[in-house]
Amino acid sequence: MQQVLRTRLGRLLAFLALVLLFGVCFRADPGSAQDSSKGWVFASIPQADLWFHGMAVVDPVGPGPNPLYDPAYPGEVRRAREEAGLGPTALDTRSGYFRQAFRRDPAFEVLHFVPLYFHRAGRAEFFSAMKLLVGTREGIPRAQSANTAFGLTAVGSVLTTQAQRMVLGEFVSALEAEWNVFFEEWWQRGAVSRDSILVSLQEIWVEEYGPSLGPVLQNLEMSGGLVTLVPAIGDEGRIFGGTSDNPMDNVLVVSAPNSPDQSVEIIYSMLREVSFPMVRRVMDRGGRVVGNRSEEERLASIAAIRSGALILEKYRPHELMDYQRFFLTQAGRMIPTGEATEGPFREVFPIDQAIERALREEMFTMETNGGIG
């Protein structure tokens, strides 16, 4: 079994501590939250949007080499508050305090993943569980619901000290106040557009992408799961993979598009995200761990983007140029429609032939016995 938990930060220190110190192999279980007949199910989860909203307001950059959130998001929030006639909230006034606390203690990196552990819980259930953990001086409290048992164990096994849980409790309180004062109404105003986007995404996945990409997703042990769209998330998504015996128990977090016209771009982002566990296996097996966290993450990010291109090259070649143009644009390289993208794409996202060969073997064969030669 292999548990995957990551942004493009690589092996999250807190999660490594969780696995190595406690010997725990967790698995996510979307269960009733997903219709397995659809493969991937697209959803919007209010507590996930609220949680990542709070994290982005506190520190849109985070501890990694690339911003973990949309750098423009805090400014959008400030403008929305001003338009609503609202002043600074508790989250605003304490953002500096939270930012310093989160940066000072690497264990708080787990906060960048918390909603993925509670994706089956409702908002009230989620916050009740978090307050239960905060009120527990040591150890893991008994969950009041099966929907929160995994999350309590995951977070509680990383944030173990009273000081850490005190800061967590203060952050949770600020988020609850944020919901009541500002976020709920703001979130509800976007419901019609959000629902339209979700319907569009689900339709094109079920009708087009799911059937055509099924074989490679099965090889990657990423046949299905839950995809939640979050406005605060930028280019750096989140992936929480389950166990190899259940390729349907995965959770993805990707940026929320502004309109249904951008649905295909979300699929492209998905292809990059689902490639990360495989990229990490290839890099580890081939001895490509360089010992420098930022450099490892840069290489992994490039390899994941290239992996998505390899998938489309084989299964949906008519979309390859659009995929390449999308990621080139994200990297600040504008390629006009109609112009060739292959050369600039390989230039901006270079990988050596050995890595590309290993990625192809991993994706397009049922079994592979070697890594990078």
Side-chain angles (χ1 to χ4, degrees), residues 31-41 225 248:
S32 60
Q34 127 182 23
D35 177 357
S36 61
S37 66
K38 297 179 181 178
W40 286 98
V41 173
M248 305 292 290

Side-chain angles (χ1 to χ4, degrees), residues 13 47 306:
L13 295 179
Q47 66 267 21
R306 290 290 296 271

Side-chain angles (χ1 to χ4, degrees), residues 340-354:
T341 56
E342 183 69 18
F345 185 72
R346 288 180 173 271
E347 177 187 339
V348 174
F349 305 109
I351 57 175
D352 62 40
Q353 292 182 351

Side-chain angles (χ1 to χ4, degrees), residues 2-20 63 106 109-110 113 276-277 279-294 296-297 300:
Q2 180 177 8
Q3 179 62 53
V4 179
L5 170 63
R6 54 164 299 114
T7 60
R8 255 128 289 151
L9 289 174
R11 301 179 186 87
L12 181 67
L13 295 179
F15 184 73
L16 275 180
L18 182 71
V19 174
L20 296 177
E109 291 185 17
V110 74
F113 302 91
F276 272 104
V279 165
R280 181 59 61 189
R281 290 195 299 269
V282 167
M283 292 180 66
D284 287 350
R285 194 169 58 234
R288 289 291 174 143
V289 179
V290 299
N292 181 293
R293 178 174 177 176
S294 295
E296 285 182 22
E297 291 314 309

Side-chain angles (χ1 to χ4, degrees), residues 39-56:
W40 286 98
V41 173
F42 298 84
S44 179
I45 303 176
Q47 66 267 21
D49 288 355
L50 174 62
W51 186 274
F52 289 125
H53 162 88
M55 295 297 294

Side-chain angles (χ1 to χ4, degrees), residues 93-205:
T93 58
R94 304 204 70 193
S95 61
Y97 164 75
F98 290 131
R99 181 165 53 252
Q100 291 180 5
F102 296 166
R103 288 184 175 183
R104 188 166 54 243
D105 186 348
F108 283 117
E109 291 185 17
V110 74
L111 300 185
H112 298 293
F113 302 91
V114 165
L116 283 73
Y117 307 143
F118 294 90
H119 63 278
R120 293 184 61 188
R123 184 183 61 85
E125 191 176 28
F126 166 71
F127 277 101
S128 293
M130 296 303 289
K131 287 186 283 189
L132 178 63
L133 176 61
V134 168
T136 302
R137 295 176 61 87
E138 59 182 26
I140 310 299
R142 177 175 295 181
Q144 298 174 335
S145 164
N147 295 335
T148 60
F150 171 80
L152 281 172
T153 302
V155 179
S157 296
V158 176
L159 303 180
T160 58
T161 70
Q162 293 183 37
Q164 290 168 338
R165 293 185 181 184
M166 182 189 73
V167 174
L168 175 64
E170 293 172 320
F171 183 63
V172 167
S173 295
L175 288 183
E176 288 194 301
E178 183 82 358
W179 175 266
N180 294 328
V181 172
F182 165 72
F183 193 82
E184 180 181 16
E185 182 178 350
W186 191 48
W187 192 83
Q188 292 292 353
R189 284 205 303 268
V192 173
S193 173
R194 185 166 55 246
D195 291 347
S196 176
I197 291 168
L198 292 171
V199 169
S200 174
L201 271 168
Q202 198 66 65
E203 286 179 350
I204 65 172
W205 182 263

